[in-house]
Amino acid sequence: MATDAGNPIPRFPAGFLWGVSTSAHQIEGAADEREPSVWDAFTAEPGRVKDGSTAAVACDHVHRHREDVALLAGLGVDAYRFSLSWPRLRSGKKGLDFYDRLVDDLCAAGVRPVPTLFHWDLPADLDWLERDTAERFAEHVSLVAGRLGDRVTKWITLNEPAEHTLLGHALGVHAPGGKLLFDALPVAHHQLLAHGLAVRALRASGAADIGIANSHGPTWAASTEAADVEAAEFYDLLLNRLFADPLLLGRYPDGIGELMPGDVEADLKVIAEPLDWYGINYYAPTRVGAPQGAEIEFGGVTMPAELPFSVREIEGHPVTDFGWPVVPEGLTELLTAFRDRYGDRLPPVVITENGCSYPGVDDQDRIAYLDGHVRALHRAVEAGVDVRGYFVWSLLDNFEWAEGYARRFGLVHVDFGTLERTPKASYHWYRELLRAQEPTA
Ligand code: IFM
């Protein structure tokens, strides 16, 4: 892949937050030390995970977190985004003690803890189709903030509610395996409500630095024909507006509010609680055209023929091991489009995930991907977008949901037989980037 590696990466504004991200279910293991989540039941069903694996051990982070904090300190990141497992926190003192220690160790290592309060591992007895789950989440958040809020100052409510709705409840590819298509929309609404209630609970506990991590990417129409443009606009609504409009504008896109349950107008007031920053997870753009009347297999997901759009290949760009196109300029395009669409309703942006799956420890392809995306991010900053941070997905190779352990996103290689951690070439590359960004005297 062509890189710009000869030229130094431009400097980002002072105070820019550099970090890496993980999530609880993907790295923690120690499944027998917590309550079950929807993912435990899902992975136990044959055929759900491509390599037949589960996250019962994963990276065994619960028992090896000191080694992982040392890797973070060695990397020199300002911040570490991880998630708090609701099933672990419900399992009593041991769960809370683990996060207490992790947060203490991060602070002692000079790495700012940035927890996500929900990253898909819902307790097995709860269901996002039920409104009550949002209320239960808010109670849970109050308890957690009360315990960790003396050391945690930056919070993320939810991770990618769009993917959790689409993959987990509409298409049946992720837990809990619902194949409800558009009947899954209440799942989106209840997560948004949970977010708003969580923001209120965090504010009540004194938190002053709150965001959400939403996945977004440019949608490119497959052609200029009306049917393709219309299908692409609809896909864009699902990915880029269904969650962002209620959060930032306090309303659903036209025609969507009527499909949501409950007193939608009252809920929107909660959902639109002001945020301190808006997190964006960016991986790639999507090319979309009119439906093709047949099931489509794309990026590991089977899309049913009934969908009013079809996802198409993006040609002319390299692809990652996952088959996702590598399009750094898509990040600049996305950020400037968000700025133009939401104007002063868009708070400062943080890139809460960006990364790629490639095998190997000498991962030059990952370096090229990250190098390209950091430069593309800088171009967005130069274009006037207020971006305050960037987090690489991910610190460690980990359990990549329905793909199992086959897709490796880590800066650190994990041998899933011995659990040995080996920093990859990209870990050293990122460390050098962070050093070069340090303020000069
Ligand atoms: O591993 C996931 C993560 O859990 C959510 N965002 C995308 C990543 C890569 O697929």
Side-chain angles (χ1 to χ4, degrees):
M1 190 191 306
T3 73
D4 211 352
N7 302 319
I9 290 193
R11 289 186 75 81
F12 280 70
F16 194 85
L17 199 66
W18 296 97
V20 283
S21 299
T22 62
S23 91
H25 191 76
Q26 293 178 271
I27 66 165
E28 282 184 357
D32 53 351
E33 296 173 31
R34 57 159 170 78
E35 288 192 6
S37 85
V38 292
W39 270 94
D40 298 313
F42 186 76
T43 46
E45 290 173 31
R48 290 300 202 178
V49 176
K50 292 204 175 123
D51 59 6
S53 61
T54 74
V57 176
C59 306
D60 198 27
H61 170 73
V62 164
H63 301 126
R64 294 164 197 256
H65 80 271
R66 291 227 155 83
E67 192 179 343
D68 296 337
V69 171
L71 284 164
L72 289 162
L75 188 54
V77 281
D78 303 313
Y80 172 49
R81 174 182 172 226
F82 58 102
S83 78
L84 301 168
S85 157
W86 191 354
R88 193 174 300 288
L89 284 160
R90 285 214 316 187
S91 59
K93 187 172 167 339
K94 203 169 176 187
L96 205 39
D97 283 351
F98 165 65
Y99 292 116
D100 243 344
R101 279 197 304 276
L102 176 62
V103 165
D104 279 346
D105 290 349
L106 287 167
C107 293
V111 178
R112 188 169 179 193
V114 184
T116 307
L117 288 151
F118 177 70
H119 194 128
W120 303 352
D121 49 350
L122 189 72
D125 58 329
L126 297 180
D127 183 347
W128 284 116
L129 282 166
E130 305 295 333
R131 181 185 179 86
D132 181 54
T133 300
E135 314 276 351
R136 305 279 292 276
F137 183 64
E139 288 159 19
H140 161 71
V141 170
S142 289
L143 290 174
V144 173
R147 180 69 183 256
L148 301 178
D150 55 338
R151 288 150 291 155
V152 170
T153 54
K154 196 174 187 74
W155 298 91
I156 298 175
T157 55
L158 309 180
N159 177 72
E160 298 182 2
E163 266 65 24
H164 191 54
T165 307
L166 181 74
L167 301 178
H169 297 79
L171 300 180
V173 183
H174 281 186
K179 287 193 172 183
L180 300 171
L181 296 180
F182 289 100
D183 289 340
L185 280 173
V187 170
H189 185 71
H190 293 149
Q191 286 181 90
L192 281 166
L193 180 62
H195 157 85
L197 293 171
V199 173
R200 288 187 173 175
L202 288 168
R203 295 262 185 248
S205 80
D209 194 353
I210 307 171
I212 185 170
N214 268 330
S215 54
H216 294 297
T219 309
W220 295 344
S223 79
T224 52
E225 289 191 15
D228 286 335
V229 171
E230 200 182 307
E233 278 171 1
F234 185 68
Y235 183 91
D236 188 62
L237 180 152
L238 292 181
L239 182 66
N240 293 324
R241 296 184 50 210
L242 176 60
F243 294 87
D245 281 14
L247 290 164
L248 300 175
L249 304 177
R251 59 172 185 265
Y252 277 112
D254 286 349
I256 299 292
E258 299 87 289
L259 306 175
M260 295 305 192
D263 184 346
V264 175
E265 283 311 310
D267 289 350
L268 280 165
K269 292 198 172 50
V270 181
I271 291 167
E273 279 292 333
L275 288 170
D276 301 298
W277 52 276
Y278 188 83
I280 292 184
N281 296 355
Y282 172 75
Y283 288 89
T286 316
R287 192 158 177 264
V288 175
Q292 292 179 310
E295 234 178 50
I296 296 182
E297 199 59 41
F298 198 86
V301 178
T302 306
M303 308 220 179
E306 306 93 282
L307 289 177
F309 55 80
S310 61
V311 176
R312 313 281 177 83
E313 294 290 338
I314 290 184
E315 283 148 19
H317 292 268
V319 289
T320 70
D321 173 49
F322 217 146
W324 299 355
V326 179
V327 190
E329 58 274 25
L331 180 56
T332 323
E333 179 185 329
L334 173 73
L335 291 172
T336 50
F338 254 67
R339 190 263 324 269
D340 295 347
R341 179 180 287 166
Y342 295 108
D344 58 11
R345 305 298 290 269
L346 180 67
V349 170
V350 174
I351 302 302
T352 32
E353 283 182 28
N354 177 236
C356 50
S357 152
Y358 287 112
V361 171
D362 184 19
D363 54 344
Q364 299 302 320
D365 285 338
R366 178 171 289 100
I367 293 176
Y369 178 101
L370 296 174
D371 180 282
H373 284 76
V374 171
R375 289 175 199 277
L377 184 61
H378 195 269
R379 284 194 287 278
V381 173
E382 282 177 329
V385 184
D386 186 358
V387 187
R388 304 279 178 94
Y390 174 83
F391 288 68
V392 173
W393 182 271
S394 179
L395 173 66
L396 302 170
D397 289 340
N398 59 47
F399 179 74
E400 176 56 26
W401 308 110
E403 299 287 320
Y405 295 98
R407 307 290 175 208
R408 292 178 174 270
F409 280 86
L411 298 177
V412 175
H413 179 271
V414 177
D415 178 325
F416 290 106
T418 62
L419 297 170
E420 187 186 351
R421 277 89 160 127
T422 308
K424 302 181 188 179
S426 56
Y427 175 96
H428 301 292
W429 171 86
Y430 195 40
R431 189 177 58 192
E432 289 314 308
L433 182 158
L434 300 181
R435 280 197 184 145
Q437 292 288 327
E438 277 169 12
T440 45

